[in-house]
Amino acid sequence: MRNANELYQILLASRGKPRWWSEDPFTVMFQAVLVQNTAWRSVEKTCEAIGDKLTPQTIGAMSLEELELLIRPCGFCKAKARTIQALVLWFGQYDFSARAVEEIPAFRLRRELLSIRGIGAETADVILVYAFYKPSFIIDAYTRRLLSRLGCGFSDDASVRQFFEDTLPKDARVYGWYHWLILEHCISTCKKVPRCSGCPLKDSCRHSLSQEQARPGSGQRKDLP
DNA sequence: AGCCAGGGTCTAA
DNA sequence: TTAGACCATGGC
């Protein structure tokens, strides 16, 4: 495996077509905030309880205290409630129209999202890709972990981004599917089993659990070993 | 019991 | 510019 495209093909071949985060842009935004440093199961349970009331209108009509209570099981509820309220306000500037937001150039949209307190790079990229179809590669703990296990140690996220965005078609769907594939791969295969038999990455996947396996000084590499 | 889960902010050096 | 403390809750 030499580049991000080949890794993608391997993951795709082993897992099949991945699912999208959610068809509903506001659901993506809402869940992207809730899942910050939180188990996905907690987010699922919370959203199941909310049901069809997961709309910017309904959430936006809640008081801060109501919202905090609603999302409490996800942790950091005060910070997250404030962030979600800010997101709703921001989305309201575009009349809660995803189509309207999609008109915004990606770099400007990313900047707008990052200006909201509680929204960092990962959350912004999740929203860009899954809610508004802008190709901005999502770098999360799973992505870093997988690359590290592949023995490819990037010194920072900028290098990781470069690795993916240099060789991939600038297509939000590819980015979204890719991220989902990494996630599914790490959860189902790499997370629990120190050395898994039947891993589609085979010898390339060393399943090293420590950063020490990552080669220092290889941050500029664009190829995997 | 203790650790971690698809982070982000703020502060100190 | 970067490392570390802090934020909260649930699950195993």
Side-chain angles (χ1 to χ4, degrees):
Chain A
M1 156 186 350
R2 296 184 50 77
N3 59 42
N5 273 310
E6 293 192 17
L7 176 57
Y8 182 62
Q9 294 306 324
I10 292 171
L11 292 174
L12 197 57
S14 82
R15 307 213 60 86
K17 184 177 177 181
R19 53 159 291 201
W20 201 248
W21 187 306
S22 165
E23 304 303 325
D24 176 54
F26 184 70
T27 299
V28 173
M29 293 188 253
F30 189 80
Q31 294 182 337
V33 173
L34 285 196
V35 80
Q36 289 170 355
N37 202 41
T38 302
W40 178 249
R41 186 76 197 107
S42 301
V43 178
E44 271 187 332
K45 278 206 304 192
T46 297
C47 289
E48 280 167 15
I50 296 174
D52 59 2
K53 291 191 290 192
L54 186 43
T55 68
Q57 290 84 0
T58 307
I59 300 298
M62 293 180 177
S63 69
L64 193 59
E65 292 73 20
E66 278 178 298
L67 189 52
E68 287 173 8
L69 201 59
L70 188 67
I71 66 175
R72 166 166 295 172
C74 294
F76 306 105
C77 60
K78 283 191 280 201
K80 288 175 181 178
R82 191 187 53 204
T83 301
I84 287 167
Q85 281 201 336
L87 255 178
V88 170
L89 279 180
W90 169 81
F91 198 26
Q93 294 179 319
Y94 304 96
D95 300 321
F96 304 135
S97 164
R99 297 289 171 271
V101 176
E102 286 171 31
E103 299 299 315
I104 305 172
F107 73 95
R108 194 186 119 199
L109 181 51
R110 191 169 196 272
R111 205 179 33 191
E112 285 192 20
L113 289 169
L114 287 175
S115 74
I116 298 173
R117 175 147 43 144
I119 300 210
E122 180 184 335
T123 307
D125 289 332
V126 165
I127 294 173
L128 282 164
V129 169
Y130 290 106
F132 303 118
Y133 304 97
K134 306 289 186 185
S136 186
F137 204 87
I138 301 156
I139 300 162
D140 65 350
Y142 286 142
T143 307
R144 299 185 197 98
R145 198 177 306 166
L146 177 60
L147 288 179
S148 175
R149 285 171 178 173
L150 289 170
C152 193
F154 291 101
S155 52
D156 51 36
D157 284 354
S159 303
V160 176
R161 178 177 296 277
Q162 190 178 14
F163 168 73
F164 287 105
E165 297 198 350
D166 268 3
T167 53
L168 249 36
K170 298 226 177 315
D171 182 341
R173 284 164 223 280
V174 171
Y175 282 28
W177 289 330
Y178 205 148
H179 177 251
W180 207 272
L181 285 169
I182 291 174
L183 193 122
E184 288 190 324
H185 174 79
C186 287
I187 290 176
S188 71
T189 309
C190 288
K191 185 177 178 184
K192 299 177 180 174
V193 190
R195 177 192 316 211
C196 59
S197 56
C199 175
L201 296 172
K202 295 191 168 59
D203 294 340
S204 297
C205 191
R206 295 208 289 269
H207 298 287
S208 58
L209 294 177
S210 69
Q211 292 289 334
E212 292 153 5
Q213 294 285 338
R215 285 185 274 146
S218 61
Q220 305 307 317
R221 285 178 57 92
K222 293 174 187 173
D223 289 348
L224 289 169

